[in-house]
Amino acid sequence: MRGMLRRGRQGPRVALLPGLLASTMLTGVSPALAQAQGQLETVVVTAQKRTENLQNVPFSIQALNTEKLEQLEVSNFADYVKFLPSITYQPGGTSGGAGAGNGAPGFANVYMRGVVAGGDGNHSGSLPSVGTYLDEQPITTIGGTLNVHIYDIARVEELAGPQGTLYGASSESGTIRIITNQPDSSQFEASYDVQGDSVDHGGLGYTAEGMVNYPIADNAAIRLVVWDEHDAGFIDNVPATRTYPTSGITINNFKIAKNDFNDADTIGARAALKIDLDSNWSVTPSIILQDEKTNGVTSADPSVGDLAVSHFYPEFVHDGWWQAALTVQGKISDLDLVYAGSYMDRRIREESDYTDYSFWYDTLYGYGAYWTNNAGKPVDPSQYILAQDHFTKTSHELRLTSPASDRLRFTAGLFYELQTHFILQDYRINAIGTDISVQGWPQTIWLTDQQRTDRDYAAFGEVSYDILPNLTLTGGLRVFEAVNSLEGFFGFGSGYSSHTGVSQCFAPSEVDAAPCTDLNKSVSETGETHKVNLAWHIDDARMVYATYSTGFRPGGINRRGTVPPYLPDTLDNYEVGWKTSWLDNRFRWNGALFYEQWNNFQYSVLGLNSFTEIHNAGQAVIKGVETDVDWLVDDHLSIAGSATAVDANLTTKVCGVVDPVTEQNVTVCPGPLDPNPPWAPANTQMPVTPKYKGNITARYQWNMDDFLVHLQGSLSGQSSSWADLRVEAPNPVTGVETPIRAALGKQPGFAQVDLTAGVERDSWHAEVFVENLFDERGDLFNFPMCTTQVCEHQVYTTPITPRLIGIKFGQKF
């Protein structure tokens, strides 16, 4: 598991105490604070797949538009998540099988409203519960949210609560939409920005980015965006030695020890061509590509020192992806037709140190005796992982929308998606004998070589009817079929194990270069998800609404084929909310109260051999409030803030046992099938999501001669949280119950202050900024490198980025 690497990738940074939350009335993210005519700017969104004022959307939505993204120095995923408090995330994935990624930003697992059991992100695990879209096309991936560079972006929309009716299975608890600025044939535009920064306890970084919008005809334009970013490291790999007790072999990391070894480089480009075929029809092909190289890890080992680790093998992630998309928009009679199709290709190559696993299994249980050479003598048992992932996604959506002015109006469509994922994880121990290696893979002690395929078919629709001019009833329905298959090989060589791997093969290999096939399963299911909404526009400035909606996430095949498939989980959402404007639209207050039941939820744990297994638990209940406030105090001062309070708890026990006959999760423990205490008793707080998260920003600007000067300060943060759902669980070797939460420790709340000062004149602007002013050591995630019950003696923390000071200059033409 690795943490975030770069400025802004550390996520929410303030721990707002309950008193602060109360004092800010749980205020929310500002959409836009433009001061035209002394009023707040109207924010236009497309959350319901039609263009409309955010204040007329009858569910919880927050949006950061171009101006706000620039003011808040947003350049990537964690930058905007900091200002969207209904969203939380878990950085990266563990090397111990729970997911890929040395903490690289593209491996963050994203959650909304406390709908999280923890441990997600495994290649063959649960689909995400939060969907992510780039314009009209889905970019949701199992291995984590793509870290799309934020530059020349129209807005980022956060749609909280189930969005399955319009956005599908991976929007069980919410959706994130990144909307790019489109080509404009009416005028030439261009801009560039350059930035230099320095991180405390680390090195120097830079960012260079630019955009050109070029009309090539009266009815056509092309828009090009490029970026190049270097993020300085701040974690030191400290020189160290390690002695294995069984063999007495001592290793060292002297050749790779290095200060600030978690640096990263990202380059990318985006291009779109828009052609207006006539007054009604347009075609927009586009392509985006990004290449990110991340070194080291961004987690720290407190036993080594502040912002330090001692790792013994090189570590890196090379994450490259591209997406080609096509959007066709037009009219058939008075109906709007949209086709949105895309193809995405993502390739990841990774190397990770895994000596913690080797050391603790040897120290506690003498496992080093099993790792020998051809002469039967013990070898250096240190493990490292070589991993490759190749992920593709093809999607097609076709929909019709009736005029928004109709009393009875609808949106209806068809959707198809095909996802494939090639998975290779090669766990190596140098010099082990061929008799215990995986056949055909010298020095490989464990191999995962598999192919996953997910298919989704759906038909969806929403209908709205104005019962009265100011009272609207909306109903939505999505019916679908989901198919998941997994085939290939996982396990040890036949000379090492008689129950996992080659010894269990039943067919020759049909995936890559695996020695044989010991897993070939599939599961399919059909279902529906729905919603009902009633919205009352009290007047032009105030609206209240009530919603009942459901979310759905398909089940799938466990990568350990001996474990039964995991089943679907569902979410029932009950919500009331309000959208209001006051003081002649100088003060805006929106919010929602919600109650959710998460049923038969999927959760991920490291089982035997630190291998990920997906199970289903019982039920969790989530209660909360979220709200946003924007206040244009006068022509110079604006204040905006956001916060969410969430109370998410189990309502049933999690026993951690599957009935071998029914293949259902056991919910009575202790009992005949599970004599141990429950992994998590009823009323256990759900992991990852803090009870409180929020932010507040004040911006003051004034004219000084020919210059426009501004000062801005932001406070953001969250309260404490747990890293794991389990309170205790059996040790995989001894079977003895072992504390989990106590071993990992509670992740404390934290707060961060960011300051910005800048000046503008004519076409140029310049700023100096400080992020994490007081160098807060916020902790995003605690984890061990292998099963907690074994590696609990070495728990890592994932800190937010230390204090960062930067200067930025740019121009617009």
Side-chain angles (χ1 to χ4, degrees):
M1 171 68 69
R2 309 295 191 262
M4 289 292 144
L5 287 171
R6 57 183 61 185
R7 174 189 67 78
R9 289 184 180 167
Q10 60 273 35
R13 305 174 169 87
V14 228
L16 287 185
L17 299 176
L20 176 58
L21 285 170
S23 67
T24 59
M25 298 176 63
L26 296 176
T27 54
V29 171
S30 165
L33 290 175
Q35 300 177 18
Q37 291 86 43
Q39 294 184 339
L40 293 168
E41 181 183 8
T42 297
V43 180
V44 175
V45 297
T46 53
Q48 297 190 106
K49 301 202 173 183
R50 63 169 80 234
T51 301
E52 57 192 329
N53 185 342
L54 180 146
Q55 293 301 104
N56 292 329
V57 177
F59 59 80
S60 182
I61 174 175
Q62 297 179 16
L64 302 172
N65 69 356
T66 302
E67 180 185 35
K68 202 63 183 176
L69 292 169
E70 293 175 352
Q71 290 178 358
L72 296 172
E73 301 286 346
V74 171
S75 65
N76 51 51
F77 164 76
D79 281 341
Y80 62 76
V81 169
K82 180 170 63 173
F83 297 100
L84 300 172
S86 292
I87 302 175
T88 56
Y89 73 95
Q90 197 172 50
T94 67
S95 296
N102 291 341
F107 294 94
N109 299 304
V110 185
Y111 309 104
M112 282 192 191
R113 288 185 170 180
V115 180
V116 48
D120 297 312
N122 185 266
H123 323 268
S124 52
S126 304
L127 289 168
S129 62
V130 173
T132 305
Y133 278 68
L134 180 64
D135 293 321
E136 293 283 348
Q137 289 78 16
I139 56 171
T140 315
T141 65
I142 298 165
T145 297
L146 290 180
N147 186 46
V148 179
H149 187 79
I150 304 299
Y151 186 75
D152 191 42
I153 297 297
R155 63 189 176 276
V156 175
E157 299 177 359
E158 175 233 61
L159 287 57
Q163 305 296 324
T165 303
L166 292 180
Y167 293 98
S170 284
S171 291
E172 180 182 36
S173 63
T175 302
I176 298 171
R177 304 184 69 232
I178 302 169
I179 311 299
T180 64
N181 286 316
Q182 295 298 296
D184 181 0
S185 61
S186 67
Q187 60 180 344
F188 171 83
E189 295 179 86
S191 66
Y192 73 87
D193 287 273
V194 292
Q195 173 183 308
D197 52 65
S198 174
V199 62
D200 278 21
H201 317 280
L204 302 176
Y206 68 83
T207 303
E209 49 201 1
M211 176 278 294
V212 174
N213 179 85
Y214 186 75
I216 56 178
D218 291 341
N219 66 330
I222 188 169
R223 198 175 191 101
L224 303 174
V225 184
V226 296
W227 55 91
D228 182 357
E229 184 174 7
H230 173 73
D231 297 293
F234 54 85
I235 300 290
D236 298 335
N237 192 19
V238 176
T241 62
R242 178 169 255 175
T243 300
Y244 291 96
T246 297
S247 63
I249 293 173
T250 297
I251 61 172
N252 67 70
N253 65 349
F254 300 157
K255 290 185 179 180
I256 64 170
K258 180 183 178 182
N259 289 340
D260 312 328
F261 84 138
N262 64 312
D263 59 337
D265 289 281
T266 304
I267 60 172
R270 188 174 76 240
L273 170 67
K274 184 177 182 181
I275 303 174
D276 295 324
L277 303 178
D278 57 28
S279 60
N280 290 326
W281 289 86
S282 66
V283 177
T284 307
S286 63
I287 187 168
I288 179 173
L289 59 158
Q290 183 169 289
D291 188 83
E292 188 168 52
K293 297 179 180 178
T294 302
N295 296 311
V297 299
T298 55
S299 298
D301 182 348
S303 67
V304 176
D306 181 38
L307 301 177
V309 296
S310 290
H311 282 191
F312 297 86
Y313 281 90
E315 296 179 286
F316 67 88
V317 176
H318 186 181
D319 183 4
W321 59 272
W322 60 271
Q323 183 202 57
L326 175 66
T327 303
V328 180
Q329 296 175 292
K331 295 187 77 68
I332 299 176
S333 184
D334 62 346
L335 301 178
D336 292 323
L337 181 143
V338 175
Y339 164 77
S342 67
Y343 177 81
M344 184 173 72
D345 187 291
R346 185 184 190 187
R347 297 174 185 263
I348 302 162
R349 188 167 59 90
E350 174 186 6
E351 183 170 338
S352 302
D353 179 279
Y354 203 34
T355 56
D356 287 4
Y357 174 97
S358 309
F359 178 77
W360 289 111
Y361 269 97
D362 188 28
T363 299
L364 298 176
Y365 311 112
Y367 271 33
Y370 295 108
W371 294 310
T372 58
N373 59 21
N374 285 330
K377 296 182 178 180
V379 299
D380 174 4
S382 300
Q383 288 193 38
Y384 60 98
I385 307 171
L386 304 178
Q388 295 181 46
D389 294 271
H390 183 196
F391 183 93
T392 69
K393 178 192 285 283
T394 302
S395 67
H396 301 279
E397 179 172 310
L398 181 68
R399 69 176 185 269
L400 286 172
T401 304
S402 63
S405 58
D406 289 354
R407 185 176 184 181
L408 178 65
R409 51 197 177 274
F410 69 88
T411 297
L414 300 172
F415 177 80
Y416 169 74
E417 183 177 79
L418 170 65
Q419 302 180 75
T420 66
H421 192 178
F422 166 69
I423 308 159
L424 177 66
Q425 286 193 319
D426 181 1
Y427 290 70
R428 292 195 174 187
I429 302 177
N430 292 333
I432 59 171
T434 54
D435 58 331
I436 63 172
S437 298
V438 175
Q439 278 75 4
W441 292 74
Q443 302 182 353
T444 294
I445 191 65
W446 175 284
L447 179 70
T448 299
D449 197 350
Q450 298 176 338
Q451 181 79 20
R452 171 176 179 161
T453 303
D454 290 271
R455 291 182 173 87
D456 296 277
Y457 311 83
F460 63 89
E462 286 194 355
V463 178
S464 297
Y465 178 70
D466 294 332
I467 302 171
L468 299 171
N470 64 342
L471 184 65
T472 301
L473 178 66
T474 299
L477 178 69
R478 188 183 191 98
V479 294
F480 59 86
E481 179 181 7
V483 182
N484 171 257
S485 65
L486 188 63
E487 63 176 318
F489 175 84
F490 74 100
F492 299 107
S494 58
Y496 188 85
S497 173
S498 61
H499 61 273
T500 301
V502 173
S503 64
Q504 303 301 307
C505 283
F506 53 79
S509 174
E510 295 185 3
V511 176
D512 191 43
C516 49
T517 297
D518 63 353
L519 173 65
N520 189 351
K521 293 185 177 182
S522 66
V523 62
S524 64
E525 59 209 18
T526 59
E528 57 83 23
T529 186
H530 52 271
K531 79 171 187 180
V532 178
N533 174 275
L534 185 65
W536 176 31
H537 292 263
I538 301 171
D539 55 35
D540 290 341
R542 283 164 284 275
M543 176 186 66
V544 294
Y545 66 86
T547 297
Y548 166 66
S549 56
T550 64
F552 180 92
R553 181 166 56 163
I557 300 299
N558 261 295
R559 186 159 53 129
R560 186 191 296 277
T562 54
V563 177
Y566 52 94
L567 304 175
D569 58 22
T570 61
L571 185 70
D572 293 299
N573 174 64
Y574 305 86
E575 178 179 331
V576 293
W578 60 93
K579 302 284 181 75
T580 65
S581 298
W582 309 83
L583 304 179
D584 194 26
N585 197 30
R586 296 178 69 90
F587 184 82
R588 181 181 295 152
W589 179 35
N590 299 337
L593 302 169
F594 56 88
Y595 176 90
E596 298 182 331
Q597 293 180 345
W598 194 18
N599 308 300
N600 203 34
F601 65 82
Q602 301 164 13
Y603 72 104
S604 172
V605 295
L606 292 181
L608 185 65
N609 306 120
S610 291
F611 196 74
T612 301
E613 300 174 5
I614 315 298
H615 297 273
N616 291 87
Q619 184 188 79
V621 166
I622 303 131
K623 297 173 285 187
V625 57
E626 57 201 6
T627 180
D628 62 88
V629 168
D630 295 315
W631 184 19
L632 190 56
V633 181
D634 57 34
D635 290 341
H636 302 288
L637 177 63
S638 59
I639 298 175
S642 70
T644 296
V646 173
D647 186 25
N649 298 282
L650 287 174
T651 56
T652 57
K653 298 176 182 178
V654 176
C655 296
V657 173
V658 175
D659 188 315
V661 177
T662 65
E663 297 189 346
Q664 301 295 310
N665 186 69
V666 173
T667 57
V668 178
C669 49
L673 292 174
D674 184 15
N676 297 306
W679 287 7
N683 298 317
T684 297
Q685 180 183 341
M686 301 299 283
V688 181
T689 299
K691 287 193 173 183
Y692 307 102
K693 181 190 172 188
N695 65 85
I696 187 168
T697 298
R699 183 180 180 90
Y700 189 83
Q701 59 186 35
W702 71 97
N703 291 312
M704 181 182 295
D705 295 329
D706 294 331
F707 299 92
L708 179 63
V709 184
H710 66 264
L711 297 174
Q712 179 176 287
S714 295
L715 172 66
S716 59
Q718 64 187 54
S719 60
S720 60
S721 62
W722 295 102
D724 199 297
L725 173 68
R726 298 167 298 167
V727 175
E728 60 182 352
N731 184 292
V733 179
T734 67
V736 176
E737 288 290 310
T738 305
I740 302 297
R741 287 194 168 185
L744 295 176
K746 196 170 189 178
Q747 299 162 178
F750 56 90
Q752 175 177 318
V753 175
D754 303 334
L755 298 177
T756 301
V759 61
E760 301 175 38
R761 181 177 179 179
D762 299 327
S763 66
W764 61 268
H765 59 273
E767 287 185 314
V768 294
F769 59 88
V770 182
E771 296 191 354
N772 195 5
L773 175 66
F774 300 108
D775 199 23
E776 174 76 11
R777 218 43 105 242
D779 183 6
L780 289 174
F781 187 38
N782 294 347
F783 66 95
M785 284 290 179
C786 72
T787 305
T788 303
Q789 302 92 305
V790 176
C791 289
E792 63 180 300
H793 307 282
Q794 192 167 3
V795 174
Y796 292 77
T797 64
T798 307
I800 63 174
T801 299
R803 177 171 47 238
L804 184 140
I805 302 174
I807 184 170
K808 186 174 185 178
F809 178 84
Q811 283 186 283
K812 295 181 180 181
F813 306 97

